[in-house]
């Protein structure tokens, strides 16, 4: 794949900063950056995500059918290495995470075969973490 990627920045609402700090910091292991009483920066695998306090935040529950599953939209996450993905899946299972889509392999035997899992943060924001056995399959069409 050899593309020089730069970190992305994503800011999104949460309805409880303390719960966001526990979820992103403690559970997902994101290093905390700057913060205030209204927002917190986190390092999500080298990317900057920012939780902004909105006490009324409640994401819509919209899904889209993908490979026989109802995928929550919108969602965000990171494409990990398979080793990172397996370690995160195990950590989430050990902490009793309620999965929207449990860790699984999607498109098995097809172009784009990938390990994937979906779960929500305490405010209901959907996250997907995935991994490919071959990173060149990330954008493959055939």
């Amino acid at each position: 794949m050899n593309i020089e990627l730069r970190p992305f920045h994503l800011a999104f609402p949460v309805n409880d900063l303390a719960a966001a700090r526990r979820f992103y910091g403690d559970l997902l292991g994101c290093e905390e950056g700057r913060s205030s009483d209204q927002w917190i920066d986190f390092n999500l695998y080298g990317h900057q995500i920012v939780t902004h306090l909105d006490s009324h935040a409640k994401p819509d529950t919209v899904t889209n059918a993908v490979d026989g599953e109802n995928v929550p939209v919108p969602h965000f996450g990171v494409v990990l290495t398979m080793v990172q993905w397996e370690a995160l899946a195990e950590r989430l299972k050990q902490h009793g995470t309620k999965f929207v889509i449990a860790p699984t392999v999607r498109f098995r035997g097809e172009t784009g075969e990938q390990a994937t899992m979906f779960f929500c943060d305490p405010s209901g924001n959907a996250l997907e973490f995935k991994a490919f056995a071959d990173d060149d399959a990330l954008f493959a069409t055939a």
Side-chain angles (χ1 to χ4, degrees):
M1 195 156 96
N2 293 340
I3 298 172
E4 184 180 341
L5 295 177
R6 300 287 303 146
F8 71 79
H9 165 81
L10 175 67
F12 56 95
V14 296
N15 55 28
D16 183 331
L17 281 179
R21 180 172 274 128
R22 287 188 302 274
F23 179 83
Y24 290 98
D26 298 339
L27 180 61
L28 294 186
C30 298
E31 181 180 332
E32 187 173 322
R34 295 170 294 132
S35 66
S36 79
D37 61 351
Q38 295 295 307
W39 53 269
I40 306 169
D41 282 349
F42 291 101
N43 177 346
L44 179 69
Y45 294 93
H47 303 285
Q48 184 190 44
I49 60 171
V50 186
T51 57
H52 283 270
L53 182 60
D54 175 354
S55 60
H56 303 293
K58 186 172 188 254
D60 290 332
T61 306
V62 176
T63 61
N64 196 353
V66 177
D67 196 36
E69 297 282 358
N70 291 320
V71 171
V73 179
H75 64 264
F76 69 93
V78 177
V79 178
L80 303 173
T81 66
M82 194 60 73
V83 170
Q84 290 172 318
W85 185 89
E86 290 168 346
L88 179 58
E90 187 58 33
R91 182 169 62 231
L92 293 171
K93 288 177 189 174
Q94 288 177 358
H95 281 89
T97 299
K98 180 182 175 187
F99 291 95
V100 175
I101 299 174
T104 189
V105 174
R106 174 186 296 158
F107 307 124
R108 192 176 293 278
E110 300 176 35
T111 300
E113 180 177 314
Q114 60 195 260
T116 185
M117 61 183 144
F118 285 82
F119 50 95
C120 293
D121 74 7
S123 295
N125 295 297
L127 291 88
E128 176 188 19
F129 287 84
K130 61 172 70 179
F132 293 81
D134 176 5
D135 282 344
D136 288 336
L138 181 63
F139 297 109
T141 59

